[in-house]
Amino acid sequence: MGQVKVNGHTNGHNGLNGVNGHSKEDYSSFLTRHRPQETYSLTSIEPESFYGKLRTLYANKVLKTQLEQLKKQGSYDAFKLKWHPVYDVRRLYGGKARTDGIPPSLFWESDVGKWIEGACYFLSSPNAKRFSHACEFDAAIQELVDMIEKAQQPDGYLNIYFTAVDQEGRFKNLRDLHEMYNAGHLLEAALAHYRYTGSRQFIDVMIKNVECFMNQFGPAENQLHGYPGHPEFELAILRLYSLTQDRKHLEFAKYLLEARGVKRDDQNGETYFVWEAKQRKDEIVAPTMDTIEDVWYHQAHKPIHDQEDVLGHSVRAFYLLTAAADLGGAFLNDAKRLWSDAVDNKMYATGGFGTEPRFEGFSPIPHHLPQSTGEGGCYAETCASIAVMMTSERILSHELSGKIRDVLELCLLNNTLGGGNLEGNQFSYANKQASWGNEDEIRHDWFEVCCCPGNVSRQLGMLGGYTWSVDLDEDKKTINLNIYLLLSATRTIPLPNNQSATVTMKSDMPWNGATQWDFKAPEGWKWNVRLPKPDYAENIKVSESTEEVQPGFLTLSLASTSSLTQSFNMPIRLLAPHIATGQDTLTVARGPIVYTAEAYDNEAIEAAYKHFEGVGITSNTTFTEIEEIIHGIPVILLQADQSAYALNELKDDQAYRVVGKDHLARSWRKLDKGIKFVPWFARANRGGKGHLRTAFLRADEALAQS
Amino acid sequence: MGQVKVNGHTNGHNGLNGVNGHSKEDYSSFLTRHRPQETYSLTSIEPESFYGKLRTLYANKVLKTQLEQLKKQGSYDAFKLKWHPVYDVRRLYGGKARTDGIPPSLFWESDVGKWIEGACYFLSSPNAKRFSHACEFDAAIQELVDMIEKAQQPDGYLNIYFTAVDQEGRFKNLRDLHEMYNAGHLLEAALAHYRYTGSRQFIDVMIKNVECFMNQFGPAENQLHGYPGHPEFELAILRLYSLTQDRKHLEFAKYLLEARGVKRDDQNGETYFVWEAKQRKDEIVAPTMDTIEDVWYHQAHKPIHDQEDVLGHSVRAFYLLTAAADLGGAFLNDAKRLWSDAVDNKMYATGGFGTEPRFEGFSPIPHHLPQSTGEGGCYAETCASIAVMMTSERILSHELSGKIRDVLELCLLNNTLGGGNLEGNQFSYANKQASWGNEDEIRHDWFEVCCCPGNVSRQLGMLGGYTWSVDLDEDKKTINLNIYLLLSATRTIPLPNNQSATVTMKSDMPWNGATQWDFKAPEGWKWNVRLPKPDYAENIKVSESTEEVQPGFLTLSLASTSSLTQSFNMPIRLLAPHIATGQDTLTVARGPIVYTAEAYDNEAIEAAYKHFEGVGITSNTTFTEIEEIIHGIPVILLQADQSAYALNELKDDQAYRVVGKDHLARSWRKLDKGIKFVPWFARANRGGKGHLRTAFLRADEALAQS
């Protein structure tokens, strides 16, 4: 290949040397591919830029809020292994057990893990000194790591509930009880901690914990052949391998992916979850399960290579596919195939995924995308969009694709960013496209199962790693720079012989398509740059001539010290969903930003038409852009220049009306003003009652009537 | 009141005298109200008319098909109480138990009961002699009744499974295991049998069986306070009371309605189903149940008087409401309230009810009416439309309402009639509004749980009872005749002193709005007639002057011997669903007949646009009427005079398109022909692959484009 990897470990750590060497036979590119978690700290994001301000919010306020919530929730102290009332599931649910048999504390390790991981990313970012609570966070991280270390059992086992409460329950129910899921998040935290501190304290605990799992689980006859019910461990183990380069970690992650959904003779011809459930002789099932064989919710109904449709729990699906894409080979094809099914057939305009609140997952039906509870459900969990970002980034690390980049950016700037408010103290879990009935689409302080808030922090913490990737071609002295996100940042690129290069990017995105770069490399080096060619961009101009070598990316070559500019227009677009949705609606978008309308900006209209039900806009609507600062974050709101329309009311007792009869004819009433739209991510930030709608009826026929 | 009931018992039986007299305190009108099951045999439906031909089909072919299927299924012989492989539930489902724990044989008594009941109605109709298999049916009925009599246990208990297989299971799970449901259907069969034959053999068995239940269940301290998980027993007991006039039967039915959903101190403050489930210590739940407390699927989550929305399993809901309406008083209000919720908010254009295949029930969300599996579900079970007919008729027996009459007729002529093919040998259970994916909307020979086919037979068997109702005012010598259905028939009306009157109706309905009547009554009597004023009728002309005393009915007075004509226009209507459905579609209707389009009539269009997805028609479409005979039944097909349109295809990999960009703009392509429509009930009768669509996209904007 002639290329070497820029490891980019903070503090100069160059990785733990594994016991075994690694061959290139199957997954030869694995160790040389870019990873955001290894490279984020080489990128300094401009603090006064849009993304920089968001990062400051997360570093100064969100992480602090989350730490306080973890302490209040009990998870912070839970590693002390003392009794906590939450463990008494029957008390907690008013005497009723959850049907899935899962106490919410079974996610506590992951909540704490994600906080540590996110905090470590922020604290090891180039501008960490400017963050308000850095010392407090450092102390909390140390205290947590000390508690975690003490909570580990002599055999390496590490899980709060199955140590403090139910030791007999260990390894009995991988399908539901999240031992591997939690271990994965703690492992990711330990990897971030090692890169931040250089201390092996936490990572050694977790390597010992991984070995505990590896003793128990694997393909050998004397092992159980299990894998996680909620994927996560796979992707974490692969990240561990990228650090340790210990072949047995690669093999274990590979085993976890390969064993999934496979029927084995030594499991009575069943898959692991079915065999395991029969061993338990229990009947506890997920809400989607008609029988214990019914494990599509867990993506364990068949081997991954045989899965044609993306099914089940959205976050589980994309954590699994992140590992699959990372591993590469045939698993990369699986990730691409199922990613396409999700993005082409099961995605909301906001980059949200998951229709079914009942199981937090995909409708099995392509383009079945109801917008609200009233239409039959909508979920769009924050974590699911993050998981799609993760998978997208892993696929991009193998091959550039503008469509995948566009989706990564869409998920980031809409459903992921919208997972937190702009004051840094409230969060959303489900993100419905429209409110309905007595529901209010507002954010909340915390959740009983609180996966999403910490997940947003992690993504913003390592945002520099998502911004671009670098490959060096030392033979040709070429720096290959692939730009994923247009924002304002500077990246240092270490070169051989203690040399380095830098690239500085100044961008008006996501609000305007003007970006400029300054490249500086030592004499003799050159740059090979791939710029995004977003699907939403029009009239793209680049100051150098380019070629579209990879679809959706513009390639150009530059001398060692160069400048570059790119500009494009981002006309406001009205998006209509696929015919098969059965929805004849328009959604407003501008560049990568998708808009929604809130009662807050449209009081009169929403008061007359609750949740904007029956309200439409026309295809020829134009807009005035309004710059506004919401809690310190600059945004552009859009005021429609044309009045909205409302369908004339129908009799309430009339399920059907006869077209053409005057008293029942469908007709539109012109309202006296246009609708004002706010970026989806910035919704529910200025008060208001949480009534909103994203997709409006297309009222083009009203034009003919008027 | 001054009115006496025309009992109309066949063979002159005037009812069994009950042990107790009856007071008028609460439900005084109960015994004097019209009942189709008591009056059908007074009406002779013209064999060569539309309805007459359908009845001949059912009498000659459908009943024969169903008898053969019952024998093949095993239910016919099951009353011999021998072992049958179906009882081994685990074997049957390939080793997997149904999650509801219900072997399909637990419905067998009801299948047999409905067949006996339907056969008795046909055999005791005025034109029974013309039916082909009358002698064979008589013999089968006698053999079944003999077996049923022998299967009864000394204490009156009568249930195949809980006698032959699981005696310990008796009365342990009223929620799921259908002991009361089955008893109800056998009781209805026995009532029909008694009226047909005059023999007390079957009805005495069933009265003894009812007493067995009454010993066990009731409000007293030493009784269990249960009621059926699948309502049916209530309405059957009320029918029994109308025969026996035994007050304790009324009281028992009243108890079953009053106890439902009530929490009791002597059940640990729980409702019966919750208490009962806890007694069993089991976790078997219906697919809708998150916990054992979650019994809205069974309409047992709260007392009937407190139920605001119609919820859960559609057939259960309307069997319950049929009893509620029949009993009257406050329960009549419940029936009217929940009927309105169903009809106004949860009804398909075809008179179908139930969105959710998963639990055969209503979406809890008003106007959430997806048309196909691809849109998120559609069920519209045949039995549910029949149950709504039953409830509607019971409400009409209290008070006339044109809207309720219209719904009764809509349900009969569309989703009920469509439950069987026109060859008399195949049936449908679910009736989706559109086909989708690899599904074919065709009928089937039989079903594992086969409630629907026998239910259609019953309705057609007693059609004369649904046609009209009569009240005599002896003091004023007035015959009050309320006409529900316009068809060709003659009714005999017994009068005091061995006199009688007759009314003959000749109608072109459901195809044309011309109807004429001849009335003949003895000198001194007069007629007070209420004619339907259907919502779909225009330019109604009646040869006498009328007054709309009750909404949707035209009242007039006539001398003892009179004639009358009514005519109205039935222009083809295009129906648009309620805004809240989110569906901008048009459905074709003509009078009470709703139309659908099949691939059979529209091969080229359907071949190009599978399942007619993306195909639209415009609001100004006109039609040519085509008279056709399908398997002997005359129907009118409709050929659209304007070409249909199809949305121009979208890229398959595009979840959203940008409006206004040429290559992605929404636009319509004019097809080279119009769509041909067939009555919904007559669909899937002439071959073809079962691809169909009922609601087409409204393509009005295409008019502006062309």
Side-chain angles (χ1 to χ4, degrees):
Chain A
M1 301 276 286
Q3 298 188 348
V4 296
K5 179 71 192 306
V6 179
N7 274 315
H9 296 154
T10 311
N11 298 349
H13 298 284
N14 287 314
L16 303 173
N17 291 319
V19 175
N20 304 317
H22 61 281
S23 87
K24 291 189 171 189
E25 60 186 78
D26 278 320
Y27 304 103
S28 51
S29 80
F30 188 86
L31 290 169
T32 59
R33 272 185 287 114
H34 164 84
R35 286 196 163 67
Q37 299 90 346
E38 296 170 8
T39 57
Y40 65 89
S41 63
L42 295 170
T43 294
S44 172
I45 293 176
E46 165 55 37
E48 293 308 313
S49 70
F50 170 77
Y51 289 96
K53 284 177 175 167
L54 284 167
R55 277 174 48 86
T56 302
L57 172 73
Y58 272 73
N60 287 347
K61 294 201 69 177
V62 176
L63 284 175
K64 172 75 172 160
T65 297
Q66 293 175 349
L67 180 61
E68 282 166 2
Q69 289 289 356
L70 292 172
K71 288 181 177 175
K72 195 165 149 194
Q73 177 184 41
S75 47
Y76 186 92
D77 281 321
F79 287 99
K80 291 175 182 162
L81 303 180
K82 290 185 183 156
W83 173 258
H84 187 286
V86 74
Y87 303 143
D88 182 357
V89 179
R90 294 202 161 263
R91 186 203 61 79
L92 195 72
Y93 294 102
K96 291 178 277 185
R98 278 166 66 132
T99 46
D100 60 7
I102 304 172
S105 68
L106 281 204
F107 301 89
W108 278 3
E109 291 91 342
S110 70
D111 295 349
V112 168
K114 277 190 273 199
W115 185 84
I116 295 175
E117 189 186 348
C120 287
Y121 294 144
F122 275 106
L123 290 166
S124 53
S125 290
N127 48 359
K129 304 295 172 290
R130 302 181 67 249
F131 298 155
S132 317
H133 306 281
C135 296
E136 182 185 349
F137 294 169
D138 274 332
I141 291 168
Q142 186 60 51
E143 185 173 42
L144 283 167
V145 171
D146 288 345
M147 288 192 285
I148 290 168
E149 184 177 34
K150 280 191 199 130
Q152 186 166 44
Q153 302 302 295
D155 63 353
Y157 190 82
L158 177 58
N159 180 291
I160 299 164
Y161 185 81
F162 292 109
T163 304
V165 183
D166 180 15
Q167 297 197 9
E168 288 301 302
R170 281 185 194 179
F171 298 149
K172 295 282 197 311
N173 185 349
L174 291 194
R175 193 190 71 196
D176 302 323
L177 301 182
H178 298 300
E179 284 162 292
M180 285 186 172
Y181 171 79
N182 281 316
H185 275 300
L186 288 178
L187 177 53
E188 288 202 276
L191 288 164
H193 181 260
Y194 171 70
R195 291 206 166 85
Y196 168 42
T197 63
S199 158
R200 297 188 58 127
Q201 182 186 8
F202 194 5
I203 192 67
D204 281 348
V205 166
M206 291 314 300
I207 288 173
K208 190 173 166 192
N209 181 238
V210 169
E211 280 162 5
C212 171
F213 280 102
M214 288 167 65
N215 289 337
Q216 199 76 23
F217 299 97
E221 270 185 34
N222 63 346
Q223 290 179 301
L224 292 169
H225 314 305
Y227 38 84
H230 193 316
E232 156 66 24
F233 204 33
E234 303 90 334
L235 73 87
I237 302 273
L238 284 171
R239 286 185 54 194
L240 177 66
Y241 169 61
S242 79
L243 177 68
T244 63
Q245 304 187 11
D246 183 342
R247 182 82 191 184
K248 72 173 187 286
H249 293 147
L250 175 64
E251 292 300 334
F252 186 49
K254 205 159 147 263
Y255 152 77
L256 291 173
L257 288 168
E258 285 171 347
R260 194 169 199 89
V262 172
K263 294 180 179 181
R264 291 179 63 115
D265 288 342
D266 58 359
Q267 286 167 184
N268 298 326
E270 306 275 17
T271 61
Y272 187 76
F273 291 156
V274 178
W275 174 85
E276 184 198 47
K278 289 184 178 172
Q279 298 297 305
R280 290 195 303 272
K281 297 187 174 61
D282 71 19
E283 296 288 330
I284 293 170
V285 294
T288 58
M289 294 173 76
D290 287 332
T291 68
I292 57 166
E293 283 79 6
D294 212 8
V295 288
W296 54 268
Y297 164 78
H298 314 83
Q299 298 86 36
H301 52 304
K302 52 174 84 165
I304 299 170
H305 294 335
D306 298 337
Q307 296 183 20
E308 290 297 323
D309 301 312
V310 68
L311 292 177
H313 188 270
S314 314
V315 181
R316 295 178 200 231
F318 274 91
Y319 279 13
L320 181 65
L321 297 180
T322 298
D326 197 8
L327 183 59
F331 285 105
L332 174 62
N333 291 334
D334 301 333
K336 286 159 69 179
R337 179 179 68 250
L338 297 169
W339 183 96
S340 290
D341 185 34
V343 167
D344 294 343
N345 302 313
K346 299 169 183 176
M347 181 174 77
Y348 287 105
T350 56
F353 296 84
T355 296
E356 302 284 350
R358 191 171 56 98
F359 60 89
E360 303 187 321
F362 298 105
S363 167
I365 300 161
H367 302 295
H368 180 231
L369 290 164
Q371 303 286 304
S372 68
T373 306
E375 289 182 43
C378 181
Y379 203 67
E381 183 178 340
T382 307
C383 282
S385 299
I386 290 170
V388 172
M389 281 181 67
M390 287 159 51
T391 303
S392 302
E393 187 282 327
R394 285 294 78 201
I395 299 174
L396 287 175
S397 78
H398 290 276
E399 56 193 52
L400 294 183
S401 150
K403 180 171 177 178
I404 293 176
R405 189 216 74 84
D406 286 352
V407 168
L408 191 163
E409 188 185 41
L410 177 78
C411 291
L412 169 64
L413 281 167
N414 297 284
N415 211 49
T416 299
L417 259 193
N421 70 356
L422 298 178
E423 292 182 86
N425 56 6
Q426 288 200 316
F427 309 96
S428 63
Y429 195 117
N431 298 282
K432 299 196 180 79
Q433 307 293 295
S435 53
W436 181 76
N438 294 321
E439 295 172 354
D440 299 319
E441 293 307 311
I442 54 174
R443 296 190 187 78
H444 299 277
D445 291 346
W446 206 240
F447 304 94
E448 188 177 65
V449 173
C450 204
C451 48
C452 300
N455 226 348
V456 184
S457 304
R458 289 202 303 169
Q459 295 307 96
L460 286 175
M462 60 170 133
L463 190 65
Y466 274 98
T467 305
W468 34 29
S469 72
V470 172
D471 285 306
L472 293 188
D473 186 333
E474 285 192 62
D475 295 342
K476 296 183 179 165
K477 285 201 159 187
T478 299
I479 303 166
N480 293 301
L481 176 70
N482 307 314
I483 296 168
Y484 298 161
L485 298 174
L486 297 167
L487 46 72
S488 295
T490 299
R491 172 157 173 161
T492 305
I493 300 166
L495 300 178
N497 305 320
N498 283 322
Q499 289 189 298
S500 70
T502 59
V503 51
T504 299
M505 171 164 62
K506 284 186 186 167
S507 181
D508 293 341
M509 287 293 287
W511 304 115
N512 287 297
T515 307
Q516 69 171 84
W517 291 264
D518 288 309
F519 299 91
K520 281 185 190 150
E523 200 67 37
W525 285 81
K526 64 173 189 279
W527 298 83
N528 184 37
V529 181
R530 284 110 176 190
L531 301 179
K533 183 193 167 210
D535 191 48
Y536 52 74
E538 289 191 1
N539 194 21
I540 300 178
K541 289 180 183 156
V542 182
S543 57
E544 302 289 327
S545 73
T546 63
E547 205 179 343
E548 189 167 345
V549 181
Q550 291 97 351
F553 279 89
L554 301 173
T555 298
L556 60 132
S557 284
L558 290 170
S560 59
T561 297
S562 310
S563 291
L564 181 71
T565 62
Q566 182 190 39
S567 69
F568 48 73
N569 297 335
M570 301 195 301
I572 294 160
R573 290 165 300 143
L574 294 174
L575 304 178
H578 195 279
I579 287 172
T581 59
Q583 297 161 15
D584 188 14
T585 58
L586 299 172
T587 295
V588 180
R590 185 180 178 283
I593 302 288
V594 177
Y595 284 76
T596 193
E598 298 190 281
Y600 177 86
D601 290 311
N602 303 280
E603 271 189 28
I605 295 175
E606 206 276 337
Y609 304 92
K610 196 175 173 193
H611 306 298
F612 303 98
E613 278 176 15
V615 175
I617 58 175
T618 56
S619 296
N620 66 357
T621 303
T622 56
F623 297 87
T624 301
E625 302 187 352
I626 302 165
E627 292 182 23
E628 195 167 317
I629 308 287
I630 300 181
H631 299 299
I633 306 295
V635 301
I636 290 179
L637 275 64
L638 299 177
Q639 172 66 56
D641 297 330
Q642 280 83 35
S643 289
Y645 291 86
L647 278 168
N648 282 322
E649 270 184 310
L650 303 182
K651 284 199 289 186
D652 273 344
D653 60 351
Q654 201 78 33
Y656 298 87
R657 64 208 150 73
V658 180
V659 174
K661 277 199 178 183
D662 278 353
H663 65 294
L664 284 172
R666 172 167 163 149
S667 66
W668 297 89
R669 179 183 158 220
K670 193 167 185 173
L671 304 181
D672 58 5
K673 56 179 72 176
I675 294 167
K676 187 173 178 182
F677 292 85
V678 63
W680 170 255
F681 78 83
R683 76 195 187 279
N685 264 297
R686 297 162 296 161
K689 54 186 171 175
H691 290 189
L692 60 85
R693 180 164 300 272
T694 310
F696 280 78
L697 293 175
R698 194 164 64 100
D700 289 358
E701 65 197 337
L703 297 173
Q705 288 174 10
S706 63
Chain B
M1 302 274 287
Q3 299 187 348
V4 296
K5 180 70 191 306
V6 179
N7 274 316
H9 296 154
T10 311
N11 299 348
H13 299 286
N14 287 313
L16 304 173
N17 291 318
V19 175
N20 303 317
H22 61 279
S23 86
K24 292 189 171 189
E25 61 184 75
D26 277 321
Y27 304 103
S28 52
S29 79
F30 188 87
L31 290 169
T32 59
R33 272 185 287 114
H34 165 85
R35 287 197 163 66
Q37 299 90 347
E38 296 169 6
T39 57
Y40 64 90
S41 63
L42 296 170
T43 294
S44 171
I45 293 175
E46 165 55 40
E48 293 308 312
S49 69
F50 170 78
Y51 289 97
K53 285 177 175 170
L54 285 167
R55 277 174 49 86
T56 302
L57 172 73
Y58 271 75
N60 287 347
K61 294 200 70 178
V62 175
L63 283 174
K64 172 76 173 160
T65 298
Q66 292 176 350
L67 180 60
E68 283 166 2
Q69 288 289 356
L70 292 172
K71 288 182 175 174
K72 194 167 149 193
Q73 177 184 43
S75 47
Y76 186 92
D77 282 321
F79 287 100
K80 292 176 181 161
L81 303 180
K82 290 183 183 156
W83 173 259
H84 188 287
V86 73
Y87 302 143
D88 182 358
V89 180
R90 294 201 162 263
R91 187 203 62 80
L92 194 75
Y93 294 102
K96 292 177 277 185
R98 278 167 65 130
T99 45
D100 59 8
I102 304 172
S105 68
L106 281 203
F107 300 90
W108 278 3
E109 291 90 343
S110 69
D111 294 349
V112 168
K114 275 189 275 197
W115 184 83
I116 295 175
E117 188 186 350
C120 288
Y121 293 145
F122 275 107
L123 289 165
S124 53
S125 290
N127 49 359
K129 304 295 172 289
R130 299 179 68 250
F131 297 155
S132 317
H133 307 281
C135 296
E136 181 184 350
F137 295 168
D138 275 333
I141 290 168
Q142 187 60 52
E143 185 173 43
L144 283 167
V145 170
D146 288 345
M147 288 192 286
I148 291 167
E149 185 177 31
K150 280 190 199 132
Q152 187 166 44
Q153 302 301 296
D155 62 353
Y157 190 81
L158 176 58
N159 180 289
I160 299 165
Y161 185 81
F162 292 108
T163 304
V165 183
D166 180 16
Q167 297 197 10
E168 288 302 304
R170 280 185 195 179
F171 298 149
K172 295 283 197 306
N173 185 349
L174 291 193
R175 191 189 72 197
D176 302 324
L177 301 182
H178 299 299
E179 283 162 293
M180 286 186 172
Y181 171 79
N182 280 316
H185 276 301
L186 288 177
L187 177 53
E188 287 202 276
L191 288 164
H193 181 260
Y194 171 71
R195 291 204 166 87
Y196 168 43
T197 64
S199 158
R200 297 188 57 127
Q201 181 186 8
F202 194 4
I203 191 66
D204 281 349
V205 167
M206 291 314 301
I207 289 173
K208 189 172 167 191
N209 181 237
V210 168
E211 280 163 4
C212 172
F213 280 100
M214 288 168 63
N215 289 337
Q216 199 76 23
F217 299 97
E221 270 185 35
N222 63 345
Q223 290 179 302
L224 292 169
H225 314 305
Y227 37 84
H230 192 316
E232 155 68 22
F233 204 34
E234 303 90 333
L235 73 88
I237 302 271
L238 284 172
R239 286 186 53 194
L240 177 66
Y241 168 61
S242 79
L243 177 67
T244 64
Q245 304 188 12
D246 182 341
R247 183 82 190 182
K248 71 173 186 285
H249 293 147
L250 175 64
E251 293 299 335
F252 187 49
K254 205 159 145 265
Y255 152 76
L256 291 173
L257 288 167
E258 286 171 346
R260 194 169 199 90
V262 172
K263 295 181 180 180
R264 290 181 63 113
D265 288 343
D266 58 358
Q267 289 166 181
N268 299 326
E270 307 274 17
T271 62
Y272 186 76
F273 291 156
V274 177
W275 174 84
E276 184 198 45
K278 289 183 178 171
Q279 298 296 305
R280 290 194 304 272
K281 297 188 174 61
D282 71 19
E283 295 290 330
I284 293 170
V285 295
T288 56
M289 295 173 75
D290 286 331
T291 67
I292 57 167
E293 283 80 7
D294 211 8
V295 289
W296 55 266
Y297 164 78
H298 314 83
Q299 298 86 37
H301 52 304
K302 51 175 84 165
I304 299 171
H305 294 336
D306 298 337
Q307 297 182 21
E308 290 298 324
D309 301 312
V310 68
L311 292 177
H313 189 269
S314 314
V315 181
R316 295 179 199 230
F318 274 91
Y319 279 13
L320 180 66
L321 297 180
T322 298
D326 197 10
L327 183 58
F331 285 105
L332 174 62
N333 292 334
D334 301 332
K336 287 160 66 179
R337 179 180 67 250
L338 297 169
W339 184 96
S340 291
D341 185 34
V343 167
D344 294 341
N345 303 313
K346 298 169 182 176
M347 182 174 75
Y348 287 105
T350 56
F353 296 84
T355 296
E356 302 283 351
R358 191 170 57 98
F359 61 87
E360 303 187 321
F362 298 106
S363 166
I365 300 160
H367 303 295
H368 180 230
L369 291 163
Q371 303 286 305
S372 69
T373 306
E375 288 182 44
C378 181
Y379 203 67
E381 183 177 339
T382 307
C383 282
S385 299
I386 290 170
V388 172
M389 281 181 67
M390 288 159 50
T391 302
S392 301
E393 188 282 328
R394 285 294 78 200
I395 300 174
L396 287 175
S397 78
H398 290 276
E399 57 193 51
L400 294 181
S401 149
K403 179 171 178 179
I404 293 176
R405 190 216 74 85
D406 287 350
V407 168
L408 192 162
E409 188 185 43
L410 177 78
C411 291
L412 169 64
L413 282 168
N414 297 283
N415 211 48
T416 299
L417 260 193
N421 70 355
L422 298 178
E423 292 182 88
N425 58 6
Q426 288 199 317
F427 309 95
S428 64
Y429 195 118
N431 299 281
K432 299 195 179 79
Q433 307 293 294
S435 53
W436 180 78
N438 293 321
E439 295 173 354
D440 300 319
E441 292 308 311
I442 54 175
R443 295 189 187 78
H444 299 277
D445 292 345
W446 206 241
F447 304 93
E448 187 177 67
V449 174
C450 204
C451 47
C452 300
N455 226 349
V456 184
S457 304
R458 289 201 304 170
Q459 295 306 94
L460 285 176
M462 59 170 134
L463 189 65
Y466 274 97
T467 304
W468 33 30
S469 71
V470 172
D471 285 306
L472 294 188
D473 186 333
E474 287 191 61
D475 295 342
K476 296 182 178 164
K477 286 200 157 187
T478 299
I479 303 165
N480 293 300
L481 176 69
N482 306 314
I483 297 169
Y484 298 162
L485 297 175
L486 297 168
L487 46 72
S488 295
T490 299
R491 172 157 173 160
T492 306
I493 300 165
L495 299 177
N497 306 318
N498 283 322
Q499 289 189 297
S500 70
T502 59
V503 51
T504 299
M505 170 164 62
K506 286 187 185 164
S507 180
D508 294 340
M509 286 294 286
W511 305 115
N512 288 297
T515 306
Q516 68 171 86
W517 290 264
D518 288 310
F519 300 90
K520 281 185 189 148
E523 200 66 36
W525 286 81
K526 63 174 189 278
W527 299 83
N528 184 37
V529 181
R530 285 112 177 189
L531 302 179
K533 184 193 167 210
D535 191 49
Y536 52 74
E538 289 191 0
N539 195 22
I540 300 178
K541 290 179 182 158
V542 182
S543 57
E544 303 288 329
S545 73
T546 63
E547 206 180 340
E548 188 167 346
V549 181
Q550 293 96 351
F553 280 89
L554 301 173
T555 297
L556 59 132
S557 286
L558 291 170
S560 59
T561 296
S562 311
S563 291
L564 180 71
T565 61
Q566 181 190 38
S567 69
F568 49 73
N569 297 336
M570 300 195 300
I572 294 160
R573 290 166 300 142
L574 294 174
L575 305 177
H578 195 280
I579 288 172
T581 60
Q583 297 161 16
D584 188 14
T585 58
L586 298 172
T587 294
V588 181
R590 185 181 177 283
I593 303 287
V594 177
Y595 283 77
T596 192
E598 298 190 280
Y600 178 87
D601 290 311
N602 303 281
E603 271 189 26
I605 295 175
E606 207 276 338
Y609 304 93
K610 196 175 173 192
H611 306 297
F612 304 97
E613 279 176 13
V615 175
I617 58 176
T618 57
S619 295
N620 66 355
T621 303
T622 57
F623 298 87
T624 301
E625 301 187 353
I626 302 165
E627 292 183 22
E628 195 168 315
I629 308 287
I630 299 181
H631 299 299
I633 306 296
V635 302
I636 290 178
L637 276 62
L638 299 177
Q639 173 65 56
D641 298 329
Q642 280 82 35
S643 290
Y645 291 86
L647 279 167
N648 282 323
E649 269 185 309
L650 304 181
K651 284 200 288 186
D652 273 344
D653 59 351
Q654 201 77 33
Y656 297 88
R657 66 208 148 71
V658 180
V659 174
K661 277 200 180 181
D662 278 352
H663 66 293
L664 285 171
R666 174 168 163 150
S667 66
W668 296 88
R669 178 181 159 220
K670 192 167 187 174
L671 304 181
D672 58 6
K673 56 179 71 177
I675 294 167
K676 188 172 177 183
F677 292 85
V678 63
W680 170 254
F681 78 82
R683 76 195 188 277
N685 265 297
R686 297 163 294 161
K689 53 185 172 176
H691 290 189
L692 61 85
R693 179 165 299 273
T694 310
F696 281 77
L697 293 175
R698 194 165 64 102
D700 289 358
E701 64 196 339
L703 297 173
Q705 288 173 8
S706 63

